Amino acid sequence: MCHSIGTCIVRYLLEVVDGTERKQAVRQLIGLGPPNKGSALAELFNDPQRGEEIINKLTGVFVPQGYDPAADRLVQDVRPESPVIHNLRTAGLRSDITYRIIVTANPEDIPGFFPWFEGKTWEMAADGRYRATLDGDGIVAHRESVLPGISLDILSASTEREDHLPAPDQYCHINLPRNPLVIDRIMHYLTDTAGKK
């Protein structure tokens, strides 16, 4: 089970480093909000016109004071056109692993979901332009999490608090590992004997 860039790191070990030898015996890989195709936010951090504004908004929330994206190897490696993302794309998925991707969304456009971006997530559209979407967790958009042939397991934030649903901010990227619905979904995958290979 991995969160965010951690999913890409584990995938790199399993698919690129160990892809042909398959010494690493892994039955299932569960990724929470993974930037499998690279991150528009990583690109925005490096954008000469918008980077400083984005970094300032996320300072103390997602990045530390004085954050320098050029010195952050992980951010550089998760840019969509980086060698790491290229290697993941060309290595392909392993047939001996069941892949699960859990993501969240903000379909009701709740600003408190991720207030630093007014409840939205930055993504890069097919034409290369940045746009804000509700199909993401504030940091990683759904289109960045997608893997070929693997369905996204989408949990949506809601203003309705019936059935003791978590508050909308508990669905954002930072809180994914603590969200009780996400934990329940992980436990379902880990204990589901019917879905095991």
Side-chain angles (χ1 to χ4, degrees):
M1 199 281 292
C2 310
H3 179 228
S4 191
I5 293 175
T7 308
C8 297
I9 294 168
V10 170
R11 285 187 56 222
Y12 200 90
L13 167 68
L14 296 173
E15 297 161 16
V16 178
V17 176
D18 192 42
T20 54
E21 293 185 25
R22 297 190 177 180
K23 290 181 181 177
Q24 302 295 324
V26 174
R27 177 181 58 83
Q28 180 171 212
L29 175 61
I30 304 169
L32 307 181
N36 287 315
K37 289 183 156 185
S39 167
L41 189 58
E43 284 299 318
L44 277 167
F45 282 157
N46 289 279
D47 186 278
Q49 282 130 11
R50 302 182 72 184
E52 186 177 349
E53 173 193 353
I54 296 292
I55 290 168
N56 287 339
K57 282 186 177 189
L58 295 180
T59 294
V61 176
F62 191 69
V63 297
Q65 187 73 37
Y67 178 70
D68 177 10
D72 186 339
R73 172 100 187 258
L74 289 175
V75 161
Q76 296 307 314
D77 285 348
V78 80
R79 293 174 77 174
E81 299 306 318
S82 75
V84 168
I85 296 299
H86 171 77
N87 290 342
L88 283 172
R89 197 168 35 244
T90 56
L93 303 180
R94 284 179 41 170
S95 59
D96 60 329
I97 297 174
T98 299
Y99 292 82
R100 312 279 192 188
I101 303 169
I102 301 172
V103 297
T104 54
N106 185 17
E108 295 181 27
D109 198 3
I110 306 162
F113 173 89
F114 194 71
W116 302 275
F117 293 150
E118 293 77 43
K120 296 179 178 61
T121 305
W122 285 106
E123 71 175 359
M124 195 174 293
D127 63 5
R129 294 185 196 177
Y130 299 113
R131 68 178 179 201
T133 180
L134 299 172
D135 292 331
D137 60 23
I139 299 295
V140 178
H142 292 178
R143 70 184 300 135
E144 299 166 349
S145 292
V146 171
L147 289 173
I150 309 299
S151 298
L152 295 180
D153 194 342
I154 303 170
L155 302 175
S156 295
S158 174
T159 55
E160 300 296 322
R161 296 300 302 275
E162 60 192 49
D163 297 327
H164 306 290
L165 292 175
D169 68 327
Q170 294 301 299
Y171 291 82
C172 80
H173 189 80
I174 297 164
N175 291 322
L176 280 177
R178 292 186 285 268
N179 182 313
L181 295 181
V182 172
I183 295 168
D184 286 349
R185 193 64 52 95
I186 293 166
M187 293 307 297
H188 168 74
Y189 287 143
L190 294 176
T191 58
D192 178 22
T193 55
K196 291 182 181 177
K197 287 186 175 184

